[in-house]
Amino acid sequence: MRNLRRYYSAPIQEFLEQSSKEILGVIHSNDISAEIKIQQSNTWEIEIEILREQLVKFTEGRIIFEYTIPRMGKRVDVVILYKSIVFLLEFKCGDTEYRQSTYDQVYDYALDLRNFQKESHNKLLVPMMISTHAPDVSCIIKERERIVEPIKCNAHNIAVAINFIAKQYNNEVFFNYLAWENSEYLPTPTIVEAAQALYRGHNVHDITRSDAGAENLSVTANEINEIIEYSKAKKRKSICFVTGVPGAGKTLAGLNIAIQRSNAEKGEHAIFLSGNYPLVTVLQEALARDKVEQEKQLGKRITKADALRSAVAFIQIIHKYRDSFVGNEDIPPERVAIFDEAQRAWTHKMIGNFMLTKKGIPNFAYSEPEFLISTMDRHRDWAVIICLVGGGQEINTGEAGLPEWFESLRRGFSNWDVYITPQLNDYEYRRGKSWASIVSGLQVYERKKLHLATSVRSFRTPDIAAFVKAILDMDTPAAKILYEKIKDKYPIVITRDLHKAKEWVLDHCQGTTRYGILASSGALRLKAEGIFVKNEILVANWFLNGKDDVRASYYLEDVVTEFDIQGLELDYSIVAWDADFRFDDNGWTYNSFVGNRWNKVQSEEKRLYLKNAYRVLLTRARQGMAIFIPQGSDLDHTRKTEYYDKTYGFLKTIGIEELLL
């Protein structure tokens, strides 16, 4: 039987007693790829020979080849469990130098195991980069949070390095190597990693934690599937509203359903729709890049353009999908349409202006929710729309919010079954309307399981969303309590020095841990600090490119706003806070910079958008954040110190740690 967790595993003594041919045979038997390339087989053979020579004097320990890192979709070349230390070996056979890419790769393995593998939380993890033909390098031990910085070895000094490290730590209490090898793995992927994994054929249970957060995701997915099956069997048309706290995995749940319900043999097609252009752009590009790489590893070639076409058919911008049904009676091929961030759908006025100015179509009669429902209503028997709704996340003029979906149903589609969560009856969703008026005249069914209550974005603590909400609601006592609860797991600092913020983030990030600078789209006076929010960037490059690319987030030069980051995430962020949303003696004030001065924002709707912009920015980081608030200058009437001091003072009263100048 194949072992998908690892290709070979044995006590070191048993490994030494077996022939290279026997070991290679076991590895081959567990490789499920369509074809085993000669080059890969030769690499395994070289690794086996090197390790048989290096470990010949080892009297205990265990060796594992090709150990799975599920969240990353990768395998560690070799794991050696010795003297109760976990050694992670990444081989680069034939390399004559130690590359930064290898350093980051093996560091990522260690970070992933520490964060997500249960038995690794308190173990010493030692990543090792084995460039077989590189020169000897002194073994220097630098440890941080139970991970040793990657050790550089060649083919001849692996045993020397392992013994040196084991002697330095001299562990006397041995852990159970088999328990470690078979340990529960509780991953929390980014939305990009999740989309790639789902696209490759995994399901939401494979790639998420098995605690309350992930169980919630699976429960919600099952509930949606039951509604789809019921609608199909009874020939009903249904609309589901899935709610959740920021970072709860609404988009992940939607992508999972879109893939599960795309079954041509059953006459089913599903599509994932979003009005969030940056999110769609990043996901499409990520899927295309991953597809090219996956095919390359199988010895096949596929062009980026071909890979991108497939990704675009699966994930689409709502506006392009919508426009394909304007002016015709075509029936959509999709029976299931998932609409991400449904609260951001356009109003009748917004879409009407767009149709007139861009398409030359006057008097367009629908809001975006109403038109989407009307297109799916063209099916004669059954259809399902799944609306993924984030409370308090409307951030732009022309976004209809949740009530418009119910108004649309009432105007022309009251025969549809409407599935809701109790949480929809919250002011952040209702936008000032009474709940009774919203659901009046509709066939409404409450389903508690459609709500995602636990954040899975920040795997270190589920309380970030509540902490940010307490700050924005000026609930100082609650914010203080929540900060004390999260500060040791999820570090947050404030500073008046952007350079200090950058240093702090760089100090906390190893491997390819993703970080970047965020700011409000209205933060125009951060330009004086070198942060220009109006600079146009290619978001796919910012989110996906590597450390050596100046266009990537890693360079901490280009900034993205709430419009670019909503629905996506970083591991660590620098949130740059301007005077558009500032604190004074009476609470938060709302400001817009026009021409050469700040003006008060009078519109309640625009105030909501500004508050939500900061909610988005402050909930994007998975592992920690630095908040940068400028000093300002009384020599500049647009950047007075009072604009910034009181905001900084308010955050200080909560107890947030300061990075002093």
Side-chain angles (χ1 to χ4, degrees):
M1 181 180 291
R2 285 171 170 164
N3 193 323
L4 304 184
R5 194 78 182 266
R6 82 287 294 166
Y7 286 2
Y8 174 92
S9 172
I12 290 176
Q13 282 296 299
E14 183 179 319
F15 166 76
L16 293 172
E17 291 167 3
Q18 287 181 294
S19 68
S20 296
K21 187 176 181 180
E22 287 177 301
I23 298 165
L24 197 58
V26 175
I27 292 174
H28 278 261
S29 69
N30 282 311
D31 189 337
I32 62 171
S33 59
E35 54 186 80
I36 301 170
K37 293 187 293 184
I38 294 174
Q39 181 183 356
Q40 178 61 67
S41 185
N42 289 342
T43 298
W44 284 329
E45 194 168 356
I46 292 169
E47 291 171 7
I48 292 167
E49 287 304 318
I50 289 172
L51 290 170
R52 279 167 57 82
E53 178 184 308
Q54 287 293 300
L55 305 180
V56 69
K57 294 184 179 180
F58 282 48
T59 57
E60 72 99 3
R62 192 169 189 86
I63 186 168
I64 307 166
F65 280 81
E66 299 292 331
Y67 187 71
T68 303
I69 306 288
R71 184 182 71 99
M72 301 172 71
K74 298 184 184 297
R75 295 178 178 274
V76 186
D77 285 342
V78 178
V79 176
I80 294 175
L81 304 173
Y82 179 68
K83 301 288 187 183
S84 284
I85 299 172
V86 181
F87 295 91
L88 309 168
L89 282 63
E90 180 63 25
F91 278 83
K92 299 300 175 185
C93 294
D95 269 15
T96 58
E97 60 181 303
Y98 301 103
R99 304 176 190 275
Q100 182 64 41
S101 58
T102 310
Y103 182 98
D104 288 339
Q105 181 183 0
V106 73
Y107 213 141
D108 283 347
Y109 293 157
L111 289 168
D112 208 77
L113 288 169
R114 184 197 64 190
N115 289 332
F116 305 119
Q117 192 203 45
K118 194 172 182 180
E119 289 292 327
S120 286
H121 292 336
N122 60 350
K123 305 296 188 294
L124 182 69
L125 302 169
V126 182
M128 302 177 71
M129 44 198 301
I130 317 297
S131 295
T132 57
H133 289 58
D136 290 354
V137 174
S138 298
C139 185
I140 300 173
I141 300 175
K142 295 181 180 178
E143 179 197 339
R144 175 187 296 191
E145 296 180 342
R146 302 295 287 162
I147 296 178
V148 172
E149 289 190 14
I151 303 298
K152 300 173 182 177
C153 292
N154 55 39
H156 308 292
N157 59 6
I158 298 170
V160 172
I162 290 176
N163 281 316
F164 175 74
I165 292 167
K167 186 176 180 181
Q168 296 300 309
Y169 285 91
N170 193 27
N171 287 331
E172 295 181 356
V173 180
F174 281 27
F175 65 81
N176 186 316
Y177 294 156
L178 281 175
W180 182 91
E181 183 178 338
N182 296 298
S183 172
E184 194 174 14
Y185 186 84
L186 312 173
T188 305
T190 66
I191 190 59
V192 169
E193 292 168 338
Q196 291 172 332
L198 292 170
Y199 201 55
R200 289 186 216 127
H202 295 278
N203 62 47
V204 73
H205 183 74
D206 294 334
I207 61 171
T208 53
R209 302 179 333 220
S210 60
D211 61 5
E215 287 172 9
N216 196 188
L217 274 168
S218 296
V219 166
T220 298
N222 291 339
E223 185 77 5
I224 294 170
N225 277 317
E226 286 181 12
I227 291 170
I228 293 172
E229 289 300 324
Y230 177 83
S231 302
K232 185 177 179 180
K234 300 295 183 181
K235 294 181 169 50
R236 300 292 300 167
K237 291 170 183 173
S238 305
I239 185 167
C240 308
F241 292 92
V242 178
T243 56
V245 300
K250 295 182 293 294
T251 301
L252 173 56
L255 288 169
N256 184 57
I257 291 294
I259 289 174
Q260 284 185 337
R261 307 308 302 202
S262 293
N263 190 326
E265 293 181 1
K266 292 184 178 180
E268 289 186 12
H269 295 279
I271 191 164
F272 183 91
L273 302 169
S274 176
N276 185 337
Y277 178 80
L279 173 69
V280 172
T281 301
V282 170
L283 291 182
Q284 288 175 345
E285 178 71 15
L287 294 183
R289 291 187 188 186
D290 190 58
K291 183 66 173 177
V292 170
E293 182 59 31
Q294 293 293 317
E295 293 298 309
K296 181 181 177 182
Q297 290 178 12
L298 294 174
K300 302 175 183 178
R301 290 181 60 84
I302 181 174
T303 67
K304 171 83 170 298
D306 286 341
L308 195 55
R309 272 192 289 273
S310 297
V312 169
F314 167 56
I315 300 175
Q316 281 191 31
I317 291 286
I318 180 63
H319 312 319
K320 290 185 178 180
Y321 180 85
R322 176 200 67 208
D323 293 351
S324 68
F325 294 103
V326 173
N328 61 59
E329 293 300 320
D330 294 347
I331 298 174
E334 297 83 15
R335 292 283 186 168
V336 178
I338 299 99
F339 192 5
D340 194 30
E341 296 179 14
Q343 77 281 356
R344 299 186 65 187
W346 285 0
T347 61
H348 177 203
K349 180 179 179 181
M350 184 77 173
I351 194 174
N353 289 339
F354 175 84
M355 287 296 179
L356 179 62
T357 57
K358 300 293 184 181
K359 304 291 183 180
I361 301 174
N363 304 316
F364 190 76
Y366 304 94
S367 66
E368 199 162 55
E370 189 169 6
F371 188 70
L372 179 60
I373 298 169
S374 75
T375 60
M376 294 297 286
D377 195 58
R378 295 175 187 180
H379 286 288
R380 290 185 178 87
D381 44 15
W382 73 279
V384 177
I385 296 174
I386 300 159
C387 294
L388 310 175
V389 186
Q393 295 187 48
E394 301 92 336
I395 57 175
N396 204 2
T397 300
E399 293 178 358
L402 181 76
E404 177 55 31
W405 286 92
F406 289 84
E407 288 290 336
S408 298
L409 289 163
R410 192 161 29 250
R411 282 194 294 267
F413 310 100
S414 57
N415 60 313
W416 278 55
D417 295 334
V418 183
Y419 295 90
I420 64 165
T421 68
Q423 285 75 18
L424 282 179
N425 185 9
D426 184 278
Y427 75 94
E428 289 182 341
Y429 295 105
R430 290 188 281 106
R431 298 183 73 172
K433 296 182 181 293
S434 74
W435 181 240
S437 68
I438 288 176
V439 299
S440 174
L442 298 175
Q443 301 175 93
V444 176
Y445 306 94
E446 187 175 288
R447 294 289 188 273
K448 293 180 180 179
K449 293 177 182 178
L450 292 176
H451 180 68
L452 294 161
T454 305
S455 174
V456 294
R457 173 177 297 129
S458 175
F459 55 85
R460 292 190 168 187
T461 173
D463 297 309
I464 295 303
F467 173 66
V468 170
K469 186 177 188 302
I471 289 175
L472 298 179
D473 291 347
M474 296 174 292
D475 188 347
T476 305
K480 286 180 176 179
I481 292 169
L482 286 165
Y483 179 70
E484 287 299 315
K485 186 177 179 181
I486 68 179
K487 68 178 183 180
D488 292 331
K489 302 174 185 175
Y490 183 101
I492 304 173
V493 295
I494 53 175
T495 182
R496 315 302 295 271
D497 185 333
L498 181 58
H499 181 69
K500 288 277 188 186
K502 291 181 179 181
E503 282 185 338
W504 182 86
V505 165
L506 290 170
D507 186 55
H508 278 74
C509 295
Q510 302 88 35
T512 57
T513 301
R514 177 70 63 171
Y515 50 86
I517 302 178
L518 315 177
S520 155
S521 57
L524 300 184
R525 293 310 296 136
L526 290 177
K527 188 176 181 181
E529 305 290 338
I531 298 174
F532 186 33
V533 297
K534 293 299 182 183
N535 188 35
E536 290 189 14
I537 64 166
L538 295 174
V539 290
N541 290 333
W542 196 88
F543 280 103
L544 301 176
N545 289 11
K547 287 182 172 181
D548 59 346
D549 194 319
V550 297
R551 299 167 296 176
S553 65
Y554 291 119
Y555 260 72
L556 297 177
E557 291 182 1
D558 289 327
V559 60
V560 298
T561 71
E562 69 274 17
F563 299 119
D564 304 311
I565 194 78
Q566 189 174 42
L568 293 160
E569 64 257 300
L570 300 168
D571 288 298
Y572 284 85
S573 68
I574 297 173
V575 177
W577 201 309
D578 201 12
D580 54 337
F581 188 65
R582 71 180 88 133
F583 201 81
D584 70 10
D585 296 332
N586 298 313
W588 295 113
T589 67
Y590 303 79
N591 308 277
S592 173
F593 192 77
V594 181
N596 193 39
R597 66 177 186 177
W598 290 103
N599 294 328
K600 295 292 184 186
V601 175
Q602 303 297 336
S603 162
E604 283 299 321
E605 184 177 50
K606 290 182 178 178
R607 287 184 175 211
L608 174 67
Y609 295 150
L610 182 52
K611 181 178 181 180
N612 287 343
Y614 275 83
R615 188 192 314 275
V616 168
L617 298 174
L618 293 166
T619 55
R620 292 306 97 184
R622 287 156 49 88
Q623 300 193 52
M625 67 176 155
I627 299 172
F628 163 61
I629 301 176
Q631 293 273 22
S633 170
D634 287 333
L635 298 177
D636 180 349
H637 71 281
T638 68
R639 300 172 53 246
K640 293 181 180 179
T641 56
E642 66 181 88
Y643 294 169
Y644 304 98
D645 286 351
K646 291 182 179 179
T647 300
Y648 192 80
F650 173 63
L651 296 181
K652 274 180 62 177
T653 62
I654 292 168
I656 301 177
E657 179 186 348
E658 294 180 84
L659 291 180
L660 300 177
L661 302 180

